[in-house]
Amino acid sequence: MDKFVIEGDRQLTGRARVSGSKNAALPIMAAVLAADGPLQLSAVPDLADVHSLLRLLETLGVHAERPAENQLDLVVETTQPHVADYDLVRRMRASICVLGPLLARRGRACVSLPGGCNIGHRPIDLHLKGLAALGADIRVERGYVIAQATRLRGTSLFLGGPYGSTVTGTCNVMTAATLAEGRTVIEAAACEPEVVDLGNCLRQLGAKIEGLGTPRIEIDGVDRLGTAQHRVIPDRIETATLMIAAAITGGHIEITPVRPDHLVAVCEVLERTGVRIERSTGDDGLPALVATAPAALVATTLTALPYPGIPTDVQAQLMALLCRAEGISVVTDKVFPDRFLHAAELVRLGARIVREGPTAVIHGVPRLSGANVMASDLRASAALVLAGLAAEGTTTVRRIYHLDRGYQRLDEKLNRLGGQVTRSDDRPGPAPPHRAGDPRKHARRLATNG
Ligand code: EPU
């Protein structure tokens, strides 16, 4: 298990390259289970979550090759397996993305329920409701979803839930519907760019899909999906994290390749805090965003919402930024109202944060000071790393495996920008040799230490 040791209070400046989107790559990789031919992907990030899904896909009969860095060729070699085992699914919730494609192509799927999560309650009832509406017989037994259908049937269905639509639920139902008989209309579909990217990949495979990026997606089922070559979109959450790295360290970073249209809400909120955001073209000719910190950050109020709102996946990083902003900020998360475990750790770095239900109130402080902190989930780790970059002194962020699930070598990227982040093994060293001591001294020590 690794940790980061960060020497803070350094301006980050320069150029950074963003990897392909984790949350687009995962359902796209799973979609190969619905296709006959090879799926050749580029800009696949090299991440722990991608490796976890590859292991699962291999148990489901998929052969994978990496012809070059960030490229992935996938092909289904056998369509017999249909069980996604608990030991593999529990490592990563996005494993649930295999449910729809397996069911649609193999007629049956047995997928472990993903289990608990540090960012709040994460049911999959909407996934199951959508697949049941397509005619699947679904039951949950011994911790597994067992789904069967000779052939799915197109229908109209509604995917809205108490916190908006569902991103991976829309991915599951949309992929399954591509092979259903007749037309499916998904109302209250998720509009996130990652869903659109999956839809575009499915279209290349031969699916007939309209309305991507809107809450109403229409799918005309086809008999088979073929082959495709697809480039995964740039990771908008990593882009936002790097923009915040510039803002929180008083720096200036050019980030490429980016899709500015995926980041409108994030840019707007950063501009409200005083950050200057400019569009430009990177050295490689690809679209870039340049974030420049203001002399002083200004407090603001923000709410994380489904796309095109501010992503919940940037809420923690924005909170880290607002810890340094002059005035009182209010941050609410309407997608995951319990996603606040980072707040207590930010307080360890000197932040002033009070949480009330789905909202946190942040009193900006002029300086943060380095401390030992513990990452609780992927985006919380990013927030702690950002705060550590801005803090005076040394910050140690433990359980960096959370960060590695979703950011490709973030430490190296930050160091190229002038950060000083050292990765090291956090396993406890060997216990010191036992020395027989004076039992009276030992008793005195215990009494003093409480
Ligand atoms: N929800 C339900 N029922 C469902 C599904 C979801 O009530 O059947 C609720 C959830 O509890 C939550 C809300 O609906 O309150 C949205 O959940 P959603 O299903 O959209 O989340 P997800 O698909 O499981 C994806 C991302 C998350 C991201 C969310 C929201 C992937 C692999 N994961 O999760 O990413 O936070 O959408 O945008 O795409 C991350 O990358 O750090 C991450 C957690």
Side-chain angles (χ1 to χ4, degrees):
M1 211 187 290
D2 285 355
K3 65 180 176 190
F4 276 2
V5 178
I6 304 168
E7 297 304 329
D9 205 11
R10 280 155 206 269
Q11 270 191 0
L12 263 56
T13 46
R15 298 200 166 97
R17 269 197 80 78
V18 168
S19 302
S21 159
K22 164 182 87 80
N23 289 347
L26 295 172
I28 288 174
M29 287 165 62
V32 74
L33 293 166
D36 292 348
L39 176 58
Q40 294 178 302
L41 301 174
S42 53
V44 179
D46 186 11
L47 301 172
D49 273 10
V50 166
H51 302 159
S52 298
L53 183 59
L54 274 178
R55 272 202 294 279
L56 174 60
L57 289 175
E58 278 163 6
T59 68
L60 292 169
V62 175
H63 175 72
E65 277 183 25
R66 280 196 175 264
E69 206 193 355
N70 300 125
Q71 287 187 20
L72 191 57
D73 290 357
L74 301 172
V75 65
V76 176
E77 283 188 329
T78 161
T79 56
Q80 288 309 308
H82 66 284
V83 180
D85 195 70
Y86 174 70
D87 270 344
L88 291 168
V89 174
R90 74 182 166 84
R91 289 169 209 261
M92 185 189 56
R93 297 191 58 85
S95 305
I96 197 67
C97 290
V98 303
L99 177 62
L102 267 185
L103 173 68
R105 180 71 177 81
R106 302 187 186 179
R108 58 190 182 151
C110 177
V111 179
S112 171
L113 285 167
C117 176
N118 280 349
I119 66 175
H121 184 46
R122 293 180 76 180
I124 56 159
D125 55 310
L126 297 171
H127 300 231
L128 304 189
K129 175 181 149 186
L131 295 172
L134 292 175
D137 172 28
I138 296 186
R139 60 188 200 280
V140 176
E141 247 174 48
R142 298 173 194 220
Y144 281 78
V145 177
I146 300 167
Q148 279 181 306
T150 323
R151 173 136 196 219
L152 296 171
R153 286 185 315 275
T155 187
S156 281
L157 57 98
F158 179 77
L159 276 190
Y163 306 102
S165 187
T166 161
V167 175
T168 49
T170 303
C171 293
N172 253 329
V173 175
M174 177 169 73
T175 308
T178 61
L179 291 176
E181 197 180 334
R183 167 168 285 216
T184 299
V185 179
I186 305 177
E187 302 281 5
C191 303
E192 269 68 5
E194 294 76 17
V195 176
V196 177
D197 204 31
L198 167 66
N200 285 332
C201 179
L202 289 168
R203 283 165 73 151
Q204 282 192 56
L205 286 164
K208 294 190 177 151
I209 306 176
E210 296 298 331
L212 289 169
T214 77
R216 182 188 168 94
I217 299 180
E218 295 180 7
I219 304 143
D220 283 310
V222 294
D223 289 337
R224 54 180 290 274
L225 298 177
T227 66
Q229 291 184 337
H230 181 79
R231 184 173 190 83
V232 176
I233 52 170
D235 196 309
R236 64 192 170 110
I237 308 301
E238 187 190 355
T239 307
T241 305
L242 289 165
M243 288 199 283
I244 297 169
I248 201 169
T249 64
H252 171 88
I253 306 181
E254 181 188 273
I255 305 153
T256 183
V258 294
R259 285 281 305 262
D261 53 322
H262 293 169
L263 285 150
V264 174
V266 171
C267 290
E268 196 268 340
V269 75
L270 285 176
E271 281 170 341
R272 268 193 271 142
T273 68
V275 179
R276 199 169 80 232
I277 311 273
E278 291 155 298
R279 287 185 185 209
S280 76
T281 307
D283 273 355
D284 44 15
L286 295 169
L289 279 173
V290 185
T292 307
L297 290 160
V298 183
T300 193
T301 292
L302 66 92
T303 301
L305 290 166
Y307 190 81
I310 296 167
T312 171
D313 292 346
V314 191
Q315 179 258 106
Q317 301 90 313
L318 285 169
M319 188 186 293
L321 179 71
L322 295 174
C323 291
R324 290 287 310 278
E326 271 174 28
I328 297 177
S329 298
V330 181
V331 172
T332 303
D333 197 322
K334 291 212 169 163
V335 181
F336 289 113
D338 286 325
R339 194 177 202 175
F340 286 109
L341 286 181
H342 44 280
E345 298 300 296
L346 289 170
V347 167
R348 291 181 56 75
L349 295 170
R352 288 180 60 203
I353 304 173
V354 180
R355 183 186 160 191
E356 187 64 52
T359 296
V361 178
I362 302 133
H363 292 247
V365 292
R367 55 183 280 276
L368 298 171
S369 58
N372 285 309
V373 289
M374 191 80 86
S376 55
D377 68 79
L378 166 56
R379 308 304 171 186
S381 1
L384 297 175
V385 170
L386 289 169
L389 289 169
E392 288 172 11
T394 308
T395 296
T396 303
V397 186
R398 298 208 138 82
R399 299 197 182 159
I400 277 302
Y401 64 87
H402 287 297
L403 189 87
D404 292 336
R405 288 188 39 221
Y407 291 89
Q408 183 177 317
R409 295 185 278 284
L410 187 65
D411 45 339
E412 293 174 19
K413 290 186 185 180
L414 296 173
N415 288 343
R416 277 197 289 274
L417 294 165
Q420 197 175 326
V421 182
T422 312
R423 178 188 287 267
S424 61
D425 192 342
D426 197 22
R427 272 177 300 200
H434 177 74
R435 274 182 289 148
D438 176 347
R440 279 167 309 179
K441 273 194 192 160
H442 180 62
R444 270 204 302 276
R445 258 200 312 271
L446 281 182
T448 352
N449 290 341

